[in-house]
Amino acid sequence: MVQPEGTTDPRALIANLAAAVGARHAQTDEDILAPLLVDERRRYHGEALAVVSPADTAEVATVVRLCATAGIAVVPQGGNTGLCGGATPLGEAPSVILSLRRMREVRRIDRLGRTITVGAGATVEEVAGAAAAAGLLFPLSFGAEGTAQIGGALSTNAGGTNVLRYGGARALTLGLEVVLADGTVARLGRGLRKDNTGYDLKHLFVGSEGTLGVICEATLALHPLPRQRATAMATVTGAAEGLELLVRLQEAGDGRVSACEWLSPTTRRLACEGPAGARDPFGGGPESLVLVELTSSRAGDDLRRLLEEILAGSLEAGVIGDATVADGVAAAERLWRVREAPPEAEKHAGGSIKHDIAVMPDRMPEFLERAGSAVGAVLGGVRINAFGHLGDGNIHFNLLAPPGEAPHVLFDCEERLTESVFDVAESLGGSFSAEHGIGRRWRHELARRGQPAALDLMRRLKATLDPDGILNPGKVL
C-alpha cells in the first residue's frame, strides 16, 4: 500500500509535475479540484494534492513515475460518471488525480480493417461521431456517453444498450497502450483481429478500473453503419413475456436485433407520470414495457415491415398486449426517452438504492419474483424500479422508499436490502455487478462473494503489476 508519507515533499512533487506537463495543467486550486473529489452520486468524497492533465502517453509515464518515486497515489479519472466511486480519491493517503481530458484526439481510422485508434480522453460520443463520419459504427452506447471518456469506459468494461448485438467494451477492444505503475509504457495488441502471440494481456486492463495501469490509447473495433433502423415499443405482462418477444425477434430478425430493453410497471410510471419528461405511447397502464430496435446496413431490407409482422404475430399469440412502431427519427427518440428517463426520475423521487444485477436471461423472471419478495420482507411497501437490458440478462434492480415515506426510511435498511438482493442473484448463478464495476462501492461484496481462487489470482496480479499500491488504491480489491 502507498505509505501516508512519501519520500518527496508534496510541494516538490507538484513543482516536478508542473515542469513535466506545464504549469497550466497541474492545478491545486480548490475550486478546480472540488468537482473531481466527489463521485457522480455524491456518495464518496476524497482529497487530492493536485489534478494533473498530461498531453500524451510520454507525459502520463512521467507523471506516474514521479508519483511512484514520491510514494503518492495516482487516481486516473475520465469523465467521472461512474456509479461506484471508482474514480474518487481516498482521504486516508495523499494522491494526485490523473485526468486524461487532454488526450482526446482521433489518431487513425482504418475503414478497410474497421478500426479506430483514439486517445483515452475522447468521449464515447466523440468516438462514435468520428466513426460515423467515416461511414462506420462504434456501437458502445449508454446514458453518460456524452461525458464518459473511452479510457474510463474501457477500465470499467462498460456495457449499455447495444451489448445484445455487438458486445460490451471488452469485445470492442483490439489494442491498448497503457502506462504501468513504474512508468513503463506497454503496447498490448496491434489492432489485429487475429493475434496469437502469447497471453492476451490487453484484457487484463479492461475492467481493472485503473488499478493495474493507466489506459492512454485504444484501438477499437468498428462495424458497418446502419442504413435502416426500426424502433418499437410493446406492452407485456412481465419479463417472461418480454423474453418470449425477444425470442421471436431473434428468430425472425436474423441477427438484426440491436436492443431489447424492459421496463417494469413502476419504472413506466416513474418515467412517464413524473417530472422526468417522457411520454407514455399507450397513455398509461399497469403493464411492463419492452423497447426493441432492429438495425441493418443492407439497403434492401424493409425493417419496419419485418418488425410490424413480428409484433402482429406476437399480438395474435397473446405475447404482447399492444404495440407502436416509430414512424420516424423523432418518434423513435420519444420511445427511447421513456427508457432513458428512469435515472432522472429516481432523483425526483428522493433517491434510490441501485443494484446492477446480471443473471442468465431465462432466469430473469425468477430473479425478479424472488428478489421482490426478499426486499418486501425487509421493508414493507418498498418500491422496485426494475429496468434494463433484457437480452443480456442485466437488470437494474433499484429501490425507492415506500409511498409517502421519507428517503431515510429506505436508506436506514440499505445494508439488509442489498444483501437480500445479492443473495438471490448469487443463488441463481448471477453477478452483483453487471456493468457498473466494483470501485469503492462493492469492494467488500467482492471480497465476500468472489470465488477464492479468482480473488487470489487478482491479488497476485495486483501485487506483481503494482507492488507499492500506487494505482487507484482502495478500489476493487
Side-chain angles (χ1 to χ4, degrees):
M1 294 294 294
V2 176
Q3 297 302 313
E5 308 232 351
T7 57
T8 300
D9 184 280
R11 290 170 296 183
L13 171 63
I14 293 169
N16 290 335
L17 293 172
V21 302
R24 291 178 51 219
H25 306 299
Q27 296 286 341
T28 59
D29 187 276
E30 291 184 3
D31 291 338
I32 293 174
L33 281 172
L36 309 179
L37 301 177
V38 61
D39 71 306
E40 169 74 14
R41 300 191 65 209
R42 310 194 73 79
R43 292 184 68 108
Y44 300 103
H45 295 75
E47 298 177 8
L49 300 173
V51 55
V52 181
S53 305
D56 54 32
T57 300
E59 289 190 1
V60 172
T62 299
V63 168
V64 171
R65 195 177 300 116
L66 288 169
C67 289
T69 300
I72 301 297
V74 176
V75 181
Q77 190 174 103
N80 200 22
T81 60
L83 299 179
C84 297
T88 306
L90 304 179
E92 301 92 78
S95 62
V96 166
I97 295 174
L98 177 61
S99 171
L100 285 302
R101 60 193 172 195
R102 294 175 67 202
M103 298 169 56
R104 61 194 314 152
E105 67 273 20
V106 175
R107 296 171 182 172
R108 183 170 186 259
I109 296 180
D110 179 356
R111 295 184 64 191
L112 182 61
R114 291 179 181 169
T115 68
I116 185 169
T117 301
V118 298
T123 67
V124 174
E125 187 174 70
E126 288 170 342
V127 177
L136 293 165
L137 172 70
F138 180 62
L140 192 63
S141 180
F142 49 89
E145 62 191 41
T147 305
Q149 296 173 10
I150 278 295
L154 298 186
S155 71
T156 55
N157 190 27
T161 57
N162 288 327
V163 170
L164 179 61
R165 181 168 180 179
Y166 300 103
R170 180 171 281 114
L172 299 169
T173 303
L174 298 176
L176 293 178
E177 184 175 78
V178 302
V179 170
L180 304 180
D182 62 356
T184 299
V185 177
R187 293 176 178 85
L188 310 171
R190 291 168 284 190
L192 302 174
R193 304 284 176 161
K194 293 182 178 179
D195 183 3
N196 257 341
T197 52
Y199 303 138
D200 195 351
L201 296 173
K202 64 180 177 291
H203 289 308
L204 285 177
F205 298 89
V206 178
S208 69
E209 302 188 41
T211 62
L212 300 180
V214 181
I215 295 174
C216 297
E217 177 185 279
T219 299
L220 305 162
L222 302 178
H223 293 265
L225 191 68
R227 298 186 182 186
Q228 292 189 59
R229 191 179 304 271
T231 309
M233 184 167 277
T235 63
V236 294
T237 303
E241 290 74 21
L243 289 168
E244 175 59 30
L245 174 60
L246 175 58
V247 169
R248 288 169 172 263
L249 287 162
Q250 289 176 321
E251 289 177 346
D254 190 26
R256 287 170 286 190
V257 183
S258 295
C260 185
E261 302 288 301
W262 178 79
L263 293 81
S264 68
T266 298
T267 308
R268 178 182 183 179
R269 289 192 296 272
L270 280 170
C272 300
E273 295 179 6
R279 184 195 307 172
D280 193 316
F282 308 104
E287 305 92 348
S288 299
L289 298 177
V290 176
L291 174 67
V292 299
E293 190 160 270
L294 275 61
T295 56
S296 174
S297 59
R298 299 191 295 237
D301 284 349
D302 188 349
L303 289 188
R304 182 183 175 90
R305 179 186 59 79
L306 174 62
L307 187 52
E308 287 175 343
E309 289 177 354
I310 298 170
L311 292 171
S314 301
L315 183 62
E316 184 177 350
V319 176
I320 65 175
D322 199 356
T324 180
V325 180
D327 60 4
V329 174
E333 289 177 348
R334 286 194 294 272
L335 295 181
W336 272 105
R337 176 59 187 155
V338 179
R339 168 59 182 87
E340 294 162 354
E344 180 183 345
E346 287 179 345
K347 296 177 183 178
H348 291 295
S352 65
I353 300 174
K354 296 184 184 293
H355 304 111
D356 175 39
I357 300 298
V359 293
M360 296 302 291
D362 63 351
R363 309 208 77 170
M364 210 184 274
E366 183 180 359
F367 167 77
L368 290 166
E369 180 179 356
R370 289 176 52 187
S373 297
V375 297
V378 174
L379 178 62
V382 65
R383 288 180 290 168
I384 300 170
N385 184 30
F387 61 97
H389 317 299
L390 198 62
D392 58 43
N394 177 199
I395 286 293
H396 302 298
F397 193 83
N398 300 344
L399 306 178
L400 292 86
E405 297 283 2
H408 76 83
V409 173
L410 174 75
F411 293 110
D412 287 347
C413 304
E414 181 169 3
E415 186 174 339
R416 287 187 296 141
L417 287 165
T418 293
E419 182 177 8
S420 68
V421 173
F422 288 178
D423 284 349
V424 173
E426 188 173 25
S427 73
L428 295 174
S431 168
F432 64 86
S433 179
E435 62 179 1
H436 291 169
I438 300 297
R440 294 170 67 175
R441 179 84 175 97
W442 303 122
R443 189 175 59 152
H444 64 292
E445 291 290 350
L446 179 61
R448 185 160 75 94
R449 298 177 186 273
Q451 203 272 331
L455 286 172
D456 180 59
L457 279 172
M458 291 169 67
R459 294 188 185 103
R460 288 158 66 183
L461 282 168
K462 174 68 171 175
T464 298
L465 293 175
D466 184 17
D468 296 322
I470 293 294
L471 296 176
N472 212 9
K475 318 296 169 54
V476 185
L477 295 173

